Amino acid sequence: MQYETTSIIEKGTKFEGNLVFSGVMRISGEFHGSIFSNDTLVINEEAYVEGTIEANSVIISGLVNGEIKAASKVEMKSPAKFTGKVKTPSLIVEEGVIFHGETQVSDDE
């Protein structure tokens, strides 16, 4: 599925801090901190993200270390590597993904 990107952290870019966005955010670089959105976060294959993520939906193909809370869904696509905690009503993990962590698949707050 293709997403029309409204913001991007490109490969070769390192960002540290708090990130708030609307629309579709695509990360291909390195991110350390907290991410907040009511929309979609796409973490590309080249990306490394460490921290907390709160978004409507999160699509991961890269390396993520931290905690994710998604209102709609979390989708992990090969060759993603995830370490941490996930809370979401819908979790999709493709074959080939490396997942080390805890999940809470629930629509309860």
Side-chain angles (χ1 to χ4, degrees):
M1 177 181 267
Q2 293 293 334
Y3 296 93
E4 185 176 328
T5 304
T6 55
S7 304
I8 190 163
I9 295 176
E10 193 58 72
K11 185 177 179 181
T13 302
K14 183 177 180 180
F15 183 96
E16 294 186 34
N18 296 323
L19 177 64
V20 178
F21 68 91
S22 296
V24 177
M25 177 74 183
R26 187 175 301 271
I27 298 177
S28 296
E30 187 174 338
F31 180 90
H32 299 269
S34 299
I35 300 171
F36 302 95
S37 179
N38 290 323
D39 292 313
T40 301
L41 175 64
V42 179
I43 301 171
N44 286 342
E45 241 180 84
E46 308 85 15
Y48 174 70
V49 175
E50 184 174 305
T52 59
I53 299 169
E54 287 188 36
N56 184 52
S57 60
V58 181
I59 295 95
I60 302 169
S61 297
L63 179 60
V64 177
N65 189 357
E67 192 168 331
I68 299 173
K69 183 177 180 183
S72 179
K73 72 173 181 175
V74 174
E75 188 172 346
M76 297 183 187
K77 300 180 174 198
S78 186
K81 294 179 183 177
F82 176 81
T83 303
K85 295 180 182 181
V86 176
K87 182 178 181 182
T88 184
S90 176
L91 176 63
I92 302 161
V93 181
E94 261 186 17
E95 183 176 351
V97 170
I98 296 172
F99 183 96
H100 296 286
E102 298 176 30
T103 60
Q104 183 179 350
V105 180
S106 166
D107 58 3
D108 298 336
E109 283 300 313

